[in-house]
Amino acid sequence: MADPAVSLERRRRDPAFLAALAALFLAVLAIVIASHDVLVRIGAPGWGVVVALLVAVGSLAIAGLVLRSRLGATRRAHEREAFFAQCVARLQGPLGFTRTLGTVLQDGRAFFRARGVAVAVRETASGRAFLWAVPAGAAPGTPAQAVELGASAGDWLFDFSAQAWEAERADGSWRLLALDEAGRTAAQPGVPPEALDKLARRLGAQRLAAVGFGRGRDWEGWLVFADAEPEGPREEALRFAQRLVNELGGVAQARFLLGRLRSRIGAMERARVARELHDGTIQSLVATEMEVNVLRRRAEQEKLPMASDLARVQGLLRSEILELRETMQRLKPIDIEPEQLVGFLDAAVARFGRDTGIHAIFDCAVEDVDLPARVCREIARIVQEALQNVRKHSGAQNVLVRFGRAPSGWRLVVDDDGQGFPFDGTLTHAELDEGRKGPYVIKERVRALGGELTIVTSPGGGARLEILLPREAR
């Protein structure tokens, strides 16, 4: 708790406090003069009384305005300290990084009364750039959505000499306020107008505010607000945002790196389990299936009644081997760069054909894929899931996987000649959701990419899954 004597001493040095005291003293003095004039000239007060009263009223009004301003500043200071403590508590909470960051960004958007807020980050070692944001109107606790920026990184991560800045468009140009690392007003903001134009177009904003962090370190970037309307003086709000980022940026980075470390450890453990499945359990089951196959053939040659039972056991073993191989593929971490996607899909379809005996074809007319790595990983998972569904449920003899460009982005098609879905016709993504039909996992993966799933099917007539992904899928 603050020392009362120290607080009093600070108030005595506060210009606003001194101005309020001076105005009150002047008001009291004017009232005394007016009272004296009234007593001296009872019944005929002169102009001195009127002037003194006017001075008293004006002084009291000035004192009230000064005190009101001071009380407002004190209230804002308390609210900012409470918000700062809330952010610290969020970052130290038990939730994962993306959910925690999403909550903090939502809180920040509400506190600064901004239309949008985002964090753009570049990893110095790898050069990869990411953008974390929460969609407007998202429910509380919504995880921040991470987007790999790729070629558009320059629109978010450009060099400023100032650490914090605010820019407002006025009469076709930008009016700038910039602060250096010490929070002092920067004489030369060093903010390129063309970079502001690009960022404003991306956000659809007339006013931008940003605070930089981590310059020259492992993690550097900007916290960006769009059309923020903070309470109180803008320079004061910008300084608070600067303090917020400076003091909490390290905590947020530590949470991110911890989450990444846990993810890598989990991926390594899943890869180890997949290797053990392949080298141990699967090999043992393959050997057992081969022995059962030998016994089945011998029983068939000798026309023993157990031949049919051995065939059934062999079929069960083959099914379990395929299940384990698919589980092994799902456990393996997928780290695909855009230039590797076509080759990965080709190999996955060919392996599916060898393992299942289903005639599988992969058709792709493109070589250069310009999608982010995350989208490539999701496409690979969608194809794996679709092929698994074909093996388990369709009874198909043939399956075609086609991947290529579409007028609005990218198209992925999985077409089989199996028994189809238990409904007839062409259903869009919305219709599938409404009727609770279609493969749930694929629907959610496509939705997460901002794509659209359409299923064309008829009972006994096969099924066609067509997925359209936007060009800017992230």
Side-chain angles (χ1 to χ4, degrees), residues 158-162 164-167 176-178 188-196:
F158 42 89
D159 292 332
F160 283 7
S161 60
W165 53 267
E166 183 190 75
L176 290 168
L177 166 66
Q188 298 294 330
V191 182
E194 59 276 7
L196 292 176

Side-chain angles (χ1 to χ4, degrees), residues 422-435:
F423 53 87
D424 191 7
T426 301
L427 273 69
T428 64
H429 209 143
E431 292 169 337
L432 291 169
D433 288 339
E434 184 179 356

Side-chain angles (χ1 to χ4, degrees), residues 121-123 126-131 147-150 153 157:
V121 178
R122 178 186 286 117
E123 289 182 318
S126 65
R128 297 173 68 183
F130 302 90
L131 180 72
V147 175
E148 189 164 357
L149 292 173
L157 299 162

Side-chain angles (χ1 to χ4, degrees), residues 112-313:
F112 287 96
R113 298 193 287 190
R115 189 173 55 81
V117 59
V119 179
V121 178
R122 178 186 286 117
E123 289 182 318
T124 306
S126 65
R128 297 173 68 183
F130 302 90
L131 180 72
W132 278 288
V134 178
T142 300
Q145 295 181 359
V147 175
E148 189 164 357
L149 292 173
S152 63
D155 293 349
W156 294 88
L157 299 162
F158 42 89
D159 292 332
F160 283 7
S161 60
Q163 192 204 14
W165 53 267
E166 183 190 75
E168 184 174 9
R169 195 191 299 273
D171 299 326
S173 61
W174 289 98
R175 188 169 55 204
L176 290 168
L177 166 66
L179 304 177
D180 61 18
E181 293 183 358
R184 297 185 297 263
T185 303
Q188 298 294 330
V191 182
E194 59 276 7
L196 292 176
D197 291 336
K198 286 184 179 180
L199 187 56
R201 282 195 299 269
R202 279 193 168 274
L203 294 171
Q206 294 296 313
R207 184 183 297 109
L208 300 169
V211 181
F213 56 87
R215 186 174 296 178
R217 302 177 189 169
D218 297 338
W219 223 46
E220 62 179 10
W222 294 95
L223 170 66
V224 182
F225 293 96
D227 290 330
E229 294 284 353
E231 186 179 0
R234 295 191 175 279
E235 187 171 341
E236 180 183 289
L238 188 60
R239 283 198 175 92
F240 174 68
Q242 184 181 29
R243 176 202 165 199
L244 199 68
V245 171
N246 288 342
E247 298 191 21
L248 298 183
V251 181
Q253 182 181 7
R255 286 295 302 272
F256 171 75
L257 295 177
L258 179 61
R260 172 169 289 187
L261 180 61
R262 286 174 175 169
S263 177
R264 288 180 178 175
I265 291 173
M268 292 171 61
E269 183 63 18
R270 289 192 297 273
R272 183 189 65 80
V273 172
R275 286 194 303 270
E276 290 183 358
L277 280 175
H278 181 269
D279 298 337
T281 306
I282 292 179
Q283 295 302 322
S284 298
L285 286 174
V286 169
T288 303
E289 190 266 338
M290 293 175 66
E291 291 183 9
V292 171
N293 184 50
V294 171
L295 293 174
R296 179 186 61 79
R297 289 185 176 183
R298 188 178 300 169
E300 288 177 348
Q301 290 173 357
E302 299 178 5
K303 298 183 178 180
L304 297 175
M306 68 176 65
S308 60
D309 293 333
L310 289 173
R312 181 176 56 81
V313 171

Side-chain angles (χ1 to χ4, degrees), residues 382 406 408 410-413 426-433 442-455 464-471 473:
I382 289 171
S408 59
W410 295 86
R411 176 184 286 108
L412 173 65
V413 176
T426 301
L427 273 69
T428 64
H429 209 143
E431 292 169 337
L432 291 169
D433 288 339
I442 293 178
K443 287 194 299 182
E444 292 305 310
R445 288 189 182 276
V446 172
R447 194 193 322 277
L449 296 176
E452 181 71 20
L453 169 66
T454 302
I455 294 181
R464 173 187 173 93
L465 277 66
E466 183 170 338
I467 297 166
L468 292 176
L469 299 177
R471 188 172 291 105

Side-chain angles (χ1 to χ4, degrees), residues 22-152:
L24 286 173
F25 176 76
L26 185 60
V28 171
L29 181 61
I31 291 171
V32 170
I33 293 173
S35 301
H36 179 268
D37 200 0
V38 169
L39 291 174
V40 171
R41 303 181 184 184
I42 295 177
W47 284 105
V49 175
V50 176
V51 172
L53 289 175
L54 289 175
V55 170
V57 171
S59 300
L60 289 174
I62 292 173
L65 291 174
V66 170
L67 290 175
R68 180 183 177 184
S69 173
R70 185 57 186 162
L71 288 173
T74 303
R75 178 181 54 79
R76 290 194 299 271
H78 284 305
E79 289 176 351
R80 286 169 181 162
E81 291 303 317
F83 177 70
F84 181 85
Q86 177 181 316
C87 291
V88 172
R90 300 274 198 207
L91 290 171
Q92 293 177 344
L95 299 178
F97 173 76
T98 57
R99 194 172 295 277
T100 299
L101 182 61
T103 303
V104 171
L105 290 180
Q106 284 180 307
D107 292 344
R109 183 170 59 194
F111 184 83
F112 287 96
R113 298 193 287 190
R115 189 173 55 81
V117 59
V119 179
V121 178
R122 178 186 286 117
E123 289 182 318
T124 306
S126 65
R128 297 173 68 183
F130 302 90
L131 180 72
W132 278 288
V134 178
T142 300
Q145 295 181 359
V147 175
E148 189 164 357
L149 292 173
S152 63

